[in-house]
Amino acid sequence: MIIKKSPAEIEKMRTAGLVVARCLREIAEHIEPGKTTTLDIDVMAEELIRKYHAGSSFKNYRGYPNTVCVAVNEEVVHGIPGSRILLPGDIVGIDLGVIVDGWHGDAAITVAVGGVASDEAKRLMNVTKECLLKGIEQAKPGNRLSDIGYAIQKHAEKHGCSVVRDLVGHGIGKHLHEDPHVPNYGNPKTGIRLEEGMTLAIEPMVNIGSYEIETLGDGWTVVTRDRSLSAHFEHTVAIRRNGPDILTLVTTEEA
Ligand code: MF3
Ligand code: CO
C-alpha cells in the first residue's frame, strides 16, 4: 500500500532531509585520506545527528549495527563501518538515514577520497549522479513508476555501465521502507501511475562491470560479483503537482 503525504507532511520530511544532506556534506568535507577510517565516518555521523537533534534511521534496523553504510570501491551498498583506512583514490559511498519528529529522510553520495580518482572512477561517479537526476526528472504525476528506472538504466548503459537489479529504491515516510519498490531498470510506461504526494527514495547503484552482486559473509556488505567499481547516489523525493521536489538538499534554495 502506498501512503501519500500531505504538503504539511512533506515539509516534515524536508526537515529530516535537510539534516541528512547537511550531515553528508560535513562528513565528506572531513574525510582525511590515509587517516579517516570507515568507523570514523560512523562516529562523525552519530555526532552530527545528535547536533541536529535527529535520530538514526538505520541503527538496529533489521539488526543493522551502525548509523551509516559505507561502501568502498567494489562495495555496492550496506558496508559496515570498521577499521579500514580510506586512501587517496578510493571512492566511498556514504548512505545515511535520519528520523525527525517521526519522519525519515534517506540519501547517499559517493565521493573520491582526497579528491583524486582514476578517470574511470570519476566517469562512474558522474554517470551515477546523472542517472539519479534523470530518474528524479521522471518523478511527476501522470508518469508510471517504471519511467524512473527506464531513464536510469538507459543513461547508465549508454555510458557502458550497468545498473544493479537485485536492490531497489523505495517509498519512504513514517517508515524507512514503504511501498512501492523503485527499480533502477525496466521498460517505460509500466507499473503504477505516479501521483502527487508520493514520496520515494530513488537510489541507483551503478557498476563499471557486470550488474551482478553478492553479499559478503558479514551478512550485510554487498559487493560486485566481478569486483568492479560501483557507485551509489540517493535522494528522497516528493512528487508534487508540478514535478519532483528533492527533500534531501542542503538548502531549500538549491531545489
Ligand atoms: N539507504 C539504504 C536503504 O534504503 C540503507 C538502508 S540499510 C539499513 O535501503 F541499515 F538500514 F539496513
Ligand atoms: Co534508501
Side-chain angles (χ1 to χ4, degrees):
M1 186 203 33
I2 297 176
I3 305 164
K4 292 200 268 179
K5 283 78 179 178
S6 68
E9 290 171 330
I10 290 171
E11 290 319 305
K12 291 190 174 191
M13 290 183 65
R14 195 189 310 281
T15 303
L18 204 56
V19 172
V20 174
R22 288 183 176 154
C23 290
L24 286 175
R25 175 172 291 190
E26 289 186 49
I27 290 167
E29 282 169 355
H30 287 94
I31 295 176
E32 294 181 56
K35 183 161 178 284
T36 303
T37 65
T38 55
L39 189 61
D40 291 333
I41 291 184
D42 196 65
V43 171
M44 277 191 248
E46 269 186 40
E47 287 171 356
L48 288 164
I49 286 178
R50 202 173 313 125
K51 173 172 115 180
Y52 291 119
H53 307 288
S56 167
S57 305
F58 296 175
K59 194 149 196 160
N60 301 321
Y61 180 82
R62 297 191 185 174
Y64 187 72
N66 291 83
T67 301
V68 275
C69 301
V70 185
V72 186
N73 298 337
E74 76 284 358
E75 294 171 358
V76 180
V77 285
H78 301 169
I80 299 180
S83 56
R84 180 172 185 163
I85 294 170
L86 296 171
L87 300 173
D90 284 340
I91 62 167
V92 57
I94 307 166
D95 188 350
L96 179 68
V98 312
I99 180 164
V100 177
D101 202 13
W103 294 90
H104 291 273
D106 186 10
I109 54 173
T110 300
V111 297
V113 175
V116 293
S118 66
D119 287 345
E120 67 165 5
K122 279 188 212 150
R123 187 172 61 91
L124 173 69
M125 288 189 288
N126 285 333
V127 168
T128 310
K129 193 189 275 187
E130 289 160 5
C131 282
L132 172 58
L133 297 176
K134 300 226 176 242
I136 290 171
E137 271 175 23
Q138 298 298 319
K140 53 187 182 193
N143 271 4
R144 303 267 189 165
L145 182 62
S146 75
D147 293 329
I148 295 173
Y150 174 70
I152 290 170
Q153 181 181 12
K154 197 172 65 171
H155 189 70
E157 293 181 355
K158 186 169 101 185
H159 292 277
C161 300
S162 66
V163 294
V164 170
R165 309 282 206 267
D166 298 345
L167 296 166
V168 296
H170 49 93
I172 179 170
K174 285 200 173 207
H175 305 275
L176 175 62
H177 291 151
E178 297 182 355
D179 286 340
H181 283 188
V182 184
N184 297 301
Y185 62 94
N187 297 315
K189 296 182 170 52
T190 63
I192 57 144
R193 219 171 259 292
L194 299 176
E195 292 174 25
E196 184 181 355
M198 291 177 176
T199 46
L200 306 175
I202 302 176
E203 49 178 317
M205 289 146 267
V206 177
N207 303 345
I208 278 193
S210 146
Y211 61 75
E212 288 181 287
I213 57 171
E214 61 189 20
T215 305
L216 296 183
D218 63 15
W220 281 101
T221 310
V222 175
V223 297
T224 55
R225 188 162 285 220
D226 60 12
R227 301 301 190 265
S228 66
L229 290 178
S230 186
H232 177 215
F233 284 86
E234 176 177 19
H235 271 309
T236 297
V237 179
I239 298 175
R240 312 303 292 263
R241 192 174 321 157
N242 298 325
D245 182 2
I246 303 175
L247 304 181
T248 38
L249 294 173
V250 173
T251 63
T252 42
E253 293 84 65
E254 233 184 305

